[in-house]
Amino acid sequence: MTTSEVTVPAAKVKRRRAMGAGRQLHAGPVTYVVLTVFALASLAPLVWTAIAASRTAHRLDQTPPPLWFGGNLFKNLQSAWDQAGLGTAMFNSLIVAGTITVSTVLFSTLAGFAFAKLRFRFSGLLLLLTIGTMMIPPQLAVVPLYLWMSDLGWSNQLQTVILPSLVTAFGTFFMRQYLVQALPSELIEAARVDGASSLRVVWHVVFPAARPAMAVLGLLTFVFAWNDFLWPIIALNQQNPTVQVALNSLGTGYVPDQAVIMAGALLGTLPLLIAFLLFGKQIVGGIMQGAIKG
Amino acid sequence: MTSPDEALAHSASSADAAPGTPPGAARGAHGRGAPAGADSWRSRLYRWDMKASPYVFVAPFFVLFGAFTLVPLLYTAWYSLHNVQLSALDHQTWAGLDNYQHLLSSDFFWNALENTFTIGLISTVPQLMAAVWLAHLLNYRLRGSTVWRVVMLTPYATSVAAATLVFTLLYSWDGGMVNWVLHFFGAGPVNWRESDWGSQFAVSSIVIWRWTGYNALIYLAAMQAIPTDLYESAAIDGANRWQQFRHVTIPQLRPTILFTVVVSTIGATQLFGEPLLFGGVSGSKGGSEHQYQTLGLYMYDQGWIIGNLGKASAIAWSMFLILLLVAAVNLLLTRRLRKSQ
């Protein structure tokens, strides 16, 4: 056997494996029909939110429900914006989610790099601890956090929401898994030979190698932080809300105008939907690659 | 700098560098043409940097995580043994196991536990089954495969608050889309807000809508890692597509399925936002008859509506203990399953 005879089929097998099992089978019409049903189920509630937001509360009470757009969209958006204070809320959410994202990505990359490539005492144990704590529900921390933040006089202030979410065990583990494979140890050693300090190694070798995973972790963290509900609703009042807290106040108003509520729901989701349109592919890839987190 | 010091530092550094550190490190420290004094200072700094940097890199994570997750976890246990009222935070008295005793003798606690279990079951099981099916379909060679995936994941980008507000309106008694469609098919209207199973189904459907696509992607990732040979040999043995799915795909997916079951169980135990918002004004009560009050909701109601933070802490720890129990049962079941094969 010559080498070429061996390598060609091997490459073929490899390519087929990369394509994945079953993927050589083309989808039949039934598959497309079923997928379309799933897709409609995914999108219909969102589309209908926009339809309902363009109507009046009176029309929404009638049967049959509206199936197409009316002319009230901008009026309702304006009312929702004013009633729920969505301007403040969006700004607050942007600060909260932005800070949490930057901090989580930065510290996860540093810790993930240490766990992936550096040898130090207790590293195995510490990594195990990190993974184990991914299962702790947030409910277990809220009472003490609430009491401490009250003691500090930080009730209703944004740092109350930001501080407990600055790092995540998931992020650390996610970066570690990525860097184990994506960062060649030779690259670090080469930098070491040149006498580079750890900070230089991080800046010039680790960050460039980690950039794709950092982007994905950033997107996932931003979605999570923007949508977080339990702690913000305990920590913040309606005077200084995040978007989710503001939406909650819309829903529990005593004169609920359903069309305005739908307009609020639409506005509150819009920033993420736009982000999704732009980065949906990366988010999908990130979830499939990380394949974790609830 | 004096020369004896330099000599000492030098010999120490080379001795140290010999066994443990990679060859590159030693060369980097010594192989420079710099004057001896500067070199030893640099090499000392360098060695310190090598030793300390891993700890510096993991420190922010552990400090922040410890301060805001692990320490509070223990404090919650401490507060659960105290009488802590929202109206008088400075006045905390020892209560022993009183909070837990109250819980065990409270109908609302058992009701919330039962609701959490029921809603968890009817949201998790159909969701994961649909997700496997969806992943199987997405695994075919498709036109515009990325578009399909992104579309299936859109509900994940929708917040609990927005999604629940929409579904609440879809499920409203009169004029609601769901009842209208039911009427269309000749079925009577369901009171999704007040009826027991109706409201629990409605809350579950919000969870299912938001998370099915997400779980499908996780399954899809696992499916793509299954070697093609397995399917080829199954095909040679005469297995049709369904048999291949049943006897190749599902067994290969087992670890992933177990993983999603665990994650979904944890999520179901914490269920909070959906029932809270579905209830509107009386959200924390979980409906007029507490028909969809979950443990997460019960904790919020006791702690921040009624104002008994000690009891809320006890509920939080009960949730944790239940989770551990569920995890243990899960582990036991999988061991059993593995052995029986």
Side-chain angles (χ1 to χ4, degrees):
Chain A
M1 243 192 233
T2 65
T3 35
S4 66
E5 271 174 339
V6 180
T7 45
V8 171
K12 239 185 201 166
V13 167
K14 209 173 169 189
R15 199 183 325 138
R16 263 163 67 181
R17 279 203 187 145
M19 278 160 54
R23 296 203 75 203
Q24 61 272 51
L25 290 174
H26 280 275
V30 179
T31 302
Y32 281 103
V33 170
V34 179
L35 279 179
T36 308
V37 171
F38 270 116
L40 283 179
S42 295
L43 294 180
L46 292 170
V47 174
W48 195 75
T49 308
I51 293 176
S54 71
R55 295 287 185 159
T56 62
H58 177 67
R59 176 65 188 86
L60 290 180
D61 276 343
Q62 292 171 346
T63 315
L67 295 173
W68 194 246
F69 297 90
N72 263 339
L73 182 62
F74 292 102
K75 191 173 147 271
N76 288 333
L77 290 177
Q78 184 72 47
S79 309
W81 184 272
D82 296 340
Q83 277 179 35
L86 277 177
T88 317
M90 293 252 185
F91 183 72
N92 284 348
S93 278
L94 209 63
I95 291 185
V96 167
T99 314
I100 288 174
T101 302
V102 169
S103 148
T104 301
V105 169
L106 179 70
F107 292 140
S108 297
T109 309
L110 285 179
F113 162 58
F115 280 130
K117 294 290 167 182
L118 303 180
R119 283 200 289 167
F120 56 103
R121 211 189 267 234
F122 304 124
S123 63
L125 189 72
L126 288 176
L127 183 64
L128 209 67
L129 181 75
T130 308
I131 297 169
T133 48
M134 268 163 38
M135 306 268 164
I136 297 177
Q139 270 93 347
L140 273 166
V142 292
V143 172
L145 287 177
Y146 181 82
L147 292 172
W148 297 346
M149 298 295 171
S150 301
D151 269 352
L152 289 167
W154 284 355
S155 303
N156 303 323
Q157 292 184 30
L158 294 186
Q159 66 265 35
T160 309
V161 180
I162 294 171
L163 277 171
S165 303
L166 281 176
V167 294
T168 60
F170 165 76
T172 301
F173 183 63
F174 181 88
M175 288 311 300
R176 189 246 170 210
Q177 293 304 88
Y178 182 82
L179 286 174
V180 161
Q181 297 213 332
L183 179 61
S185 299
E186 296 80 28
L187 224 61
I188 305 170
E189 273 163 33
R192 287 293 189 196
V193 170
D194 290 344
S197 67
S198 298
L199 270 183
R200 285 182 75 92
V201 169
V202 165
W203 189 255
H204 292 288
V205 181
V206 178
F207 280 170
R211 196 173 294 150
M214 286 166 92
V216 166
L217 179 63
L219 287 168
L220 291 176
T221 309
F222 194 87
V223 171
F224 173 77
W226 184 276
N227 285 340
D228 195 18
F229 192 65
L230 171 72
W231 177 232
I233 207 164
I234 288 172
L236 298 177
N237 65 6
Q238 289 173 20
Q239 263 65 54
N240 196 26
T242 57
V243 169
Q244 310 312 327
V245 177
L247 286 183
N248 177 53
S249 73
L250 259 191
T252 53
Y254 278 89
V255 230
D257 182 325
Q258 298 294 347
V260 172
I261 293 178
M262 288 304 102
L266 191 65
L267 281 174
T269 313
L270 215 55
L272 280 196
L273 285 183
I274 293 171
F276 218 70
L277 273 180
L278 297 175
F279 305 112
K281 203 174 160 186
Q282 282 83 342
I283 296 179
V284 165
I287 287 176
M288 285 185 55
Q289 179 199 331
I292 330 187
K293 180 149 190 187
Chain B
M1 268 191 206
T2 52
S3 51
D5 267 351
E6 284 164 26
L8 257 177
H10 232 74
S11 64
S13 81
S14 47
D16 255 9
T21 41
R27 235 188 300 149
H30 296 284
R32 299 214 154 206
D39 187 42
S40 86
W41 187 80
R42 279 182 66 130
S43 78
R44 213 185 297 178
L45 193 73
Y46 187 86
R47 274 184 303 126
W48 184 85
D49 175 44
M50 285 288 282
K51 268 197 182 141
S53 58
Y55 299 103
V56 175
F57 292 156
V58 297
F61 168 72
F62 279 103
V63 169
L64 289 167
F65 192 75
F68 294 110
T69 303
L70 291 182
V71 176
L73 176 99
L74 300 175
Y75 265 92
T76 304
W78 176 250
Y79 288 129
S80 76
L81 302 173
H82 284 74
N83 186 4
V84 189
Q85 296 295 328
L86 194 63
S87 50
L89 291 181
D90 295 331
H91 191 73
Q92 297 163 7
T93 53
W94 177 255
L97 291 174
D98 279 5
N99 286 322
Y100 290 95
Q101 242 156 22
H102 282 156
L103 277 191
L104 294 180
S105 61
S106 155
D107 288 344
F108 292 132
F109 174 73
W110 294 108
N111 171 59
L113 184 62
E114 193 190 321
N115 288 346
T116 307
F117 182 76
T118 318
I119 297 177
L121 206 66
I122 57 179
S123 61
T124 308
V125 174
Q127 178 195 151
L128 295 182
M129 284 167 71
V132 171
W133 191 30
L134 188 54
H136 176 69
L137 297 179
L138 288 172
N139 202 21
Y140 284 121
R141 192 185 275 189
L142 285 168
R143 277 168 195 277
S145 58
T146 310
V147 178
W148 290 109
R149 291 176 199 176
V150 173
V151 167
M152 302 302 174
L153 196 63
T154 350
Y156 165 82
T158 315
S159 67
V160 180
T164 308
L165 291 174
V166 179
F167 274 78
T168 307
L169 188 51
L170 288 173
Y171 279 118
S172 65
W173 167 248
D174 38 29
M177 182 74 79
V178 178
N179 275 344
W180 179 68
V181 172
L182 281 181
H183 177 76
F184 205 73
F185 286 108
V190 175
N191 195 340
W192 300 104
R193 265 268 176 76
E194 302 299 327
S195 69
D196 243 25
W197 73 268
S199 60
Q200 295 191 357
F201 175 86
V203 169
S204 305
S205 69
I206 307 169
V207 181
I208 295 173
W209 181 71
R210 282 188 70 218
W211 292 103
T212 301
Y214 176 89
N215 282 309
L217 288 185
I218 291 176
Y219 289 141
L220 179 60
M223 278 180 192
Q224 297 196 334
I226 301 174
T228 323
D229 325 11
L230 289 177
Y231 289 95
E232 278 166 3
S233 50
I236 290 168
D237 290 345
N240 61 27
R241 277 193 193 187
W242 165 249
Q243 284 165 331
Q244 288 180 24
F245 179 72
R246 170 81 186 70
H247 296 288
V248 179
T249 309
I250 296 293
Q252 289 286 316
L253 279 187
R254 193 168 291 142
T256 315
I257 292 177
L258 179 71
F259 171 79
T260 52
V261 167
V262 171
V263 170
S264 304
T265 309
I266 293 171
T269 316
Q270 302 165 26
L271 195 66
F272 170 72
E274 289 89 346
L276 178 76
L277 281 137
F278 191 70
V281 182
S282 61
S284 66
K285 298 272 180 284
S288 50
E289 303 288 326
H290 299 253
Q291 62 269 36
Y292 47 91
Q293 186 173 45
T294 58
L295 281 175
L297 217 49
Y298 185 52
M299 186 196 111
Y300 177 70
D301 188 52
Q302 292 298 314
W304 281 274
I305 306 297
I306 292 175
N308 190 342
L309 290 173
K311 199 169 168 191
S313 303
I315 299 169
W317 260 85
S318 313
M319 287 168 72
F320 191 39
L321 295 179
I322 292 165
L323 259 180
L324 291 180
L325 197 74
V326 170
V329 170
N330 243 321
L331 202 73
L332 224 76
L333 276 178
T334 32
R335 284 239 177 104
R336 212 22 93 67
L337 277 174
R338 214 170 281 158
K339 262 186 198 159
S340 71
Q341 284 194 334

